[in-house]
Amino acid sequence: MRKGLSADLITRVLGAAPKYTLAELEEKYPPRNLPEGAFVTRFSPSPTGYMHIGGLYMSLIDYKLAKQTDGVFMLRIEDTDTKREVKDAAKIIVDSMKRFGFEYNNDDVYGPYYQSQRKDVYRSVAADLLARGLAYPCFLTAEDMEKIRENQKNAGFATGIYGEFARDRDISEEEIIRHLDAGEFPSIRLYSTGNPDNRIFCKDAVRGSIGFPENNEDIVLIKSNDGLPTYHFAHLCDDHFMRTTHVVRGEEWLPSFPLHTQLFRMMGWAPPLYIHTATIDKIDPETGKQRKLSKRHDPEANVAFFLADGWPTAAIIDYLGNIAASGYEEAKVKGQVKSFWDYELRPKKIPMSGVLFDNRKLEWWAKEYIATLPVDELVKRVRDWADEYDVQWAARIGDNPEYLKNILAIERDNPKRIRKDFITWKQTLQEVSYFWDDLFAKNTEYEFNKDLLSAFLSTFDICDDKDAWWAKIVAIAADKGVKNGDVAMNLRVALTGRTNTPDLYSIMQVMGQDIVLSRIKDVING
């Protein structure tokens, strides 16, 4: 067995004595007292940009699995990549969790939940590895590693620090001291014993057991520049001491699977069960081929895009939930469940191959959801969106909120035949914008029959009930020798600028006499 470093040298290498022993960490972060079968999951994004729709998909799965098993869902911010960290990105992540109702259980026992605040944990575990000879201090500079990579490429070898290319792999204590005395700061690297000619088998909850070549690379555990851990090492320590049982992550992490399995086995810790989800793809409009949603090119990759556009968060949850559990839609249509939270998500049923983002399907879920809202709730959601995203609409609604309520109440009094033309809060307002004179767009292409409009104007009374109103339209049609629908269509286009609208009588009642008279006269005199 390889000899490790002495306690005094470990202190020098790390810059300070480790705060804990492994036994003390085990006591500090004890096994959770949860029901049998409870899942402990975590959503662990890096604050390096906006909230991606793929991240929302994974966090939904995390939250759902924990919720349905009476387990624990955590939000862990993996902020160890200080070079790529974006200001306010963590705030955006926290806000997204709140908006979608994902309540996380970040209790004091297993925190803190920002990795940058957990240095003592990582350094203590690194100290144990150094003492057991399973890690070593490495004094390679960026220039040294670049030369190694160039030599490897020229010789046709895989790039990386491993085997004969790991210069400091078997460095002596005397050499370590000499480097330290010279003021050099080492990184801490894994002393890998893996052999790529051998296979390591890793268990995935969806894909089953997968064989990979063993990892032989001496990856960095603790970085030299800031003393923070790499993703791989932080993931190992945090998932163990936070007692994570299941890790949901994208399939792009499959190449790291053997390394993570190796690290857990090296520590003698039981690894969590991994669920590698499929990426969310789209059909590229230029190539016609399926590809992953791009942060750079696809606005729909950004969760903020959907919020700013006014998509109901519940509809997005339904849509993404049905991707994760394809039987959910059928169960909801049949009335077996009321929402995704009532439907059991089975890890083995989560799709393994790339799924297409289908905007039309999202629209269907949104229409179905908005159709279930009581009018008062619909008005509230629309107003809340306008207050946050559209100052002009917010002011327009604020002047007369009852007017908006009456508009949105049209054709919502029959639960068996509720209109389903509202998709987003923004589109809802655009759909009814013709009710406001400053937004009303005249239809300049429609050929009006002004005689029909004049005849209607001569008999118009806003106090007519629907039967009396329709009787006048029928009488005008008979007198002018046209169809009833011709009279109604002329009125519809004159009042709304559109050929397709909800119930015309209701529209006129909400608009009121002044607007109706003004718009009809404007067409006649135009």
Side-chain angles (χ1 to χ4, degrees):
M1 184 176 179
R2 184 170 180 269
K3 182 183 177 182
L5 303 186
S6 67
D8 289 341
L9 189 51
I10 289 172
T11 297
R12 284 203 66 187
V13 165
L14 294 176
K19 187 172 182 179
Y20 307 104
T21 65
L22 285 190
E24 288 170 337
L25 285 173
E26 293 290 346
E27 185 176 354
K28 180 176 174 62
Y29 302 110
R32 295 176 182 269
N33 184 20
L34 295 171
E36 185 178 352
F39 283 34
V40 179
T41 64
R42 46 66 166 183
F43 178 50
S44 52
S46 299
T48 54
Y50 62 68
M51 181 74 167
H52 194 280
I53 193 70
L56 185 67
Y57 173 61
M58 285 186 287
S59 63
L60 172 64
I61 295 173
D62 280 318
Y63 182 57
K64 173 60 175 164
L65 291 175
K67 186 180 176 71
Q68 74 183 22
T69 59
D70 294 324
V72 172
F73 168 64
M74 300 172 287
L75 174 62
R76 187 172 78 212
I77 305 298
E78 301 196 337
D79 58 342
T80 59
D81 192 346
T82 53
K83 292 182 180 179
R84 295 177 59 230
E85 187 168 338
V86 174
K87 184 181 178 182
D88 293 332
K91 183 180 177 182
I92 291 171
I93 294 166
V94 171
D95 180 63
S96 297
M97 294 293 99
K98 182 178 180 181
R99 286 175 180 266
F100 285 87
F102 299 167
E103 299 175 359
Y104 45 90
N105 310 91
N106 285 14
D107 58 46
D108 294 336
V109 175
Y110 298 93
Y113 293 87
Y114 281 73
Q115 289 185 330
S116 59
Q117 300 171 14
R118 297 175 64 85
K119 278 188 177 181
D120 288 336
V121 173
Y122 310 130
R123 295 166 79 86
S124 297
V125 177
D128 175 79
L129 292 173
L130 288 167
R132 291 193 286 145
L134 297 175
Y136 63 92
C138 175
F139 295 91
L140 287 171
T141 64
E143 291 77 15
D144 292 332
M145 289 186 285
E146 183 58 33
K147 289 179 181 177
I148 291 172
R149 277 192 290 269
E150 285 300 319
N151 290 336
Q152 288 171 330
K153 288 180 180 178
N154 293 336
F157 294 122
T159 58
I161 304 302
Y162 60 90
E164 63 185 281
F165 301 107
R167 186 195 71 187
D168 296 345
R169 181 175 167 86
D170 293 304
I171 191 170
S172 68
E173 289 202 355
E174 290 76 15
E175 289 177 287
I176 294 172
I177 293 171
R178 179 171 56 80
H179 282 289
L180 294 173
D181 287 345
E184 298 178 43
F185 295 93
S187 61
I188 308 302
R189 286 187 180 272
L190 169 71
Y191 192 93
S192 179
T193 57
N195 182 348
D197 293 333
N198 299 330
R199 293 183 72 76
I200 184 171
F201 288 88
C202 312
K203 186 177 181 182
D204 179 278
V206 179
R207 303 159 196 267
S209 183
I210 312 173
F212 297 92
E214 287 182 343
N215 168 68
N216 70 330
E217 187 171 353
D218 291 357
I219 64 157
V220 173
L221 304 177
I222 302 288
K223 295 176 286 183
S224 60
N225 61 331
D226 55 15
L228 288 172
T230 57
Y231 166 81
H232 304 295
F233 189 53
H235 152 274
L236 165 79
C237 301
D238 290 341
D239 280 336
H240 176 70
F241 289 117
M242 289 181 175
R243 308 300 175 177
T244 306
T245 64
H246 292 73
V247 171
V248 179
R249 61 186 186 183
E251 62 184 355
E252 65 270 18
W253 285 104
L254 278 170
S256 299
F257 205 3
L259 167 62
H260 295 161
T261 301
Q262 177 190 26
L263 290 172
F264 274 99
R265 291 179 182 176
M266 176 188 69
M267 292 300 302
W269 297 340
L273 188 56
Y274 289 86
I275 301 171
H276 290 91
T277 64
T279 59
I280 297 181
D281 298 345
K282 70 175 292 183
I283 299 298
D284 189 287
E286 295 183 3
T287 66
K289 295 181 179 180
Q290 185 169 332
R291 63 165 173 79
K292 185 178 178 181
L293 278 175
S294 165
K295 283 187 175 184
R296 182 174 298 178
H297 302 295
D298 303 316
E300 65 268 35
N302 189 346
V303 170
F305 164 81
F306 294 97
L307 298 174
D309 225 34
W311 290 86
T313 54
I316 296 173
I317 288 172
D318 274 343
Y319 173 67
L320 295 177
N322 195 59
I323 292 177
S326 59
Y328 166 57
E329 180 183 336
E330 181 180 358
K332 185 169 184 179
V333 170
K334 290 182 177 180
Q336 297 169 348
V337 295
K338 290 184 178 180
S339 75
F340 179 64
W341 308 120
D342 302 325
Y343 188 80
E344 183 182 3
L345 174 62
R346 298 177 182 177
K348 288 186 177 181
K349 297 292 185 180
I350 296 173
M352 291 186 292
S353 56
V355 294
L356 279 173
F357 186 87
D358 187 342
N359 199 69
R360 289 189 176 181
K361 195 62 182 180
L362 176 59
E363 287 183 2
W364 180 84
W365 281 106
K367 289 177 181 179
E368 292 294 314
Y369 172 73
I370 293 178
T372 67
L373 294 177
V375 175
D376 286 339
E377 183 64 21
L378 175 57
V379 172
K380 180 182 183 304
R381 300 292 184 90
V382 170
R383 289 195 69 178
D384 287 347
W385 175 85
D387 287 343
E388 182 173 3
Y389 292 103
D390 196 313
V391 175
Q392 292 181 324
W393 263 116
R396 191 177 288 115
I397 296 169
D399 289 340
N400 190 356
E402 194 65 24
Y403 188 48
L404 177 63
K405 178 179 178 180
N406 292 336
I407 292 168
L408 297 184
I410 294 174
E411 289 190 1
R412 295 184 77 86
D413 54 351
N414 182 357
K416 294 183 178 180
R417 194 173 175 273
I418 293 178
R419 60 190 294 189
K420 293 184 179 180
D421 55 341
F422 296 147
I423 303 169
T424 72
W425 315 131
K426 180 180 181 179
Q427 177 268 343
T428 295
L429 289 171
Q430 292 171 341
E431 191 68 22
V432 300
S433 61
Y434 57 81
F435 279 91
W436 284 267
D437 284 337
D438 63 316
L439 297 177
F440 171 61
K442 298 177 184 178
N443 192 320
T444 57
E445 297 181 357
Y446 185 79
E447 295 184 8
F448 288 101
N449 185 327
K450 296 182 180 181
D451 287 343
L452 299 181
L453 293 175
S454 297
F456 178 81
L457 204 58
S458 66
T459 65
F460 173 62
D461 185 345
I462 195 66
C463 296
D464 284 342
D465 62 21
K466 193 168 186 177
D467 289 339
W469 170 82
W470 183 248
K472 289 180 179 180
I473 288 178
V474 172
I476 292 170
D479 180 58
K480 300 296 182 181
V482 298
K483 297 178 181 179
N484 299 339
D486 292 334
V487 180
M489 183 59 73
N490 271 267
L491 287 172
R492 189 184 309 279
V493 179
L495 295 174
T496 70
R498 304 176 186 182
T499 57
N500 185 23
T501 69
D503 180 63
L504 181 58
Y505 175 78
S506 300
I507 289 173
M508 296 174 70
Q509 289 296 305
V510 172
M511 281 184 173
Q513 181 167 305
D514 290 346
I515 293 180
V516 171
L517 291 176
S518 173
R519 292 189 183 177
I520 293 176
K521 288 178 181 178
D522 190 53
V523 173
I524 293 173
N525 298 327

